[in-house]
């Protein structure tokens, strides 16, 4: 399988958020705009009990007793309760990122870390929405993607 990085997205710094993924061009609803390989490892190899490690901000649960880091830009998408994209696990250790509405050039591309774009379930950090609204504070730990 050949995987190529897309020219539709880029990483930018965001005040109060860190980094995020932004559309460099118009992305139509339904477009798979990134295919990211996933690096899976036993949870015991990572100190998942520590709540605030550098890796804890980028890894997520992947099956029983395993965690993963999505390569490419996959672990850099910010969470939103009103996302414009979603992810899906595909055969092998891959994630696809798909637009769930039209995304304009220059717009931040976000996903819902709960897996369901409509989920309002709290996450483990304070959510800062693009409109400057803070979301619900949730538990800390490995994100359950």
């Amino acid at each position: 399988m050949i995987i190529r990085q897309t020219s539709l997205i880029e990483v930018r710094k965001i005040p109060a958020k860190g980094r995020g993924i932004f559309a460099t061009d118009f992305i139509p609803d339904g477009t798979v705009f990134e295919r990211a390989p996933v690096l899976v490892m036993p949870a015991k190899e990572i100190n998942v009990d520590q709540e605030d490690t550098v890796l804890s901000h980028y890894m997520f649960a992947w099956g029983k007793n395993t965690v993963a880091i999505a390569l490419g830009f996959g672990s850099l998408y910010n969470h939103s309760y009103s996302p414009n994209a979603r992810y899906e696990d595909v055969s092998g250790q891959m994630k696809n990122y798909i637009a769930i509405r039209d995304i304009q050039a220059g717009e931040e591309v976000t996903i819902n870390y709960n897996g369901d774009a409509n989920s309002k379930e709290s996450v483990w950090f304070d959510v800062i929405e693009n409109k400057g609204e803070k979301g619900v504070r949730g538990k800390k730990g490995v994100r359950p993607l």
Side-chain angles (χ1 to χ4, degrees):
M1 173 188 294
I2 296 173
I3 303 168
R4 289 196 169 90
Q5 191 65 4
T6 179
S7 63
L8 292 173
I9 54 176
E10 66 186 8
V11 178
R12 294 185 193 168
K13 287 193 172 200
I14 308 171
K17 277 180 145 181
R19 290 181 284 190
I21 305 303
F22 287 79
T24 57
D25 202 350
F26 175 75
I27 303 173
D29 182 10
T31 301
V32 176
F33 56 86
E34 182 176 25
R35 290 183 171 88
V38 176
L39 179 62
V40 179
M41 64 207 84
K44 67 182 180 182
E45 289 186 16
I46 305 295
N47 193 355
V48 295
D49 295 330
Q50 285 188 345
E51 293 184 355
D52 199 22
T53 64
V54 171
L55 281 179
S56 71
H57 296 281
Y58 301 98
M59 65 185 180
F60 47 88
W62 185 278
K64 186 177 180 181
N65 299 319
T66 57
V67 295
I69 294 177
L71 303 177
F73 295 152
S75 286
L76 298 176
Y77 292 93
N78 284 317
H79 170 79
S80 175
Y81 290 115
S82 301
N84 51 18
R86 68 179 176 85
Y87 60 88
E88 67 181 12
D89 298 338
V90 292
S91 63
Q93 295 177 351
M94 295 285 296
K95 279 190 177 293
N96 283 346
Y97 294 86
I98 305 149
I100 59 174
R101 66 165 175 76
D102 289 348
I103 304 171
Q104 301 302 315
E107 183 179 354
E108 183 180 10
V109 180
T110 58
I111 60 174
N112 187 317
Y113 287 1
N114 293 316
D116 175 359
N118 298 311
S119 175
K120 302 300 182 200
E121 186 176 326
S122 66
V123 290
W124 58 97
F125 55 89
D126 290 332
V127 177
I128 301 172
E129 293 287 358
N130 289 338
K131 298 171 188 132
E133 302 168 8
K134 270 194 160 185
V136 179
R137 182 168 180 80
K139 62 182 187 239
K140 289 192 173 191
V142 177
R143 63 179 169 162
L145 290 184

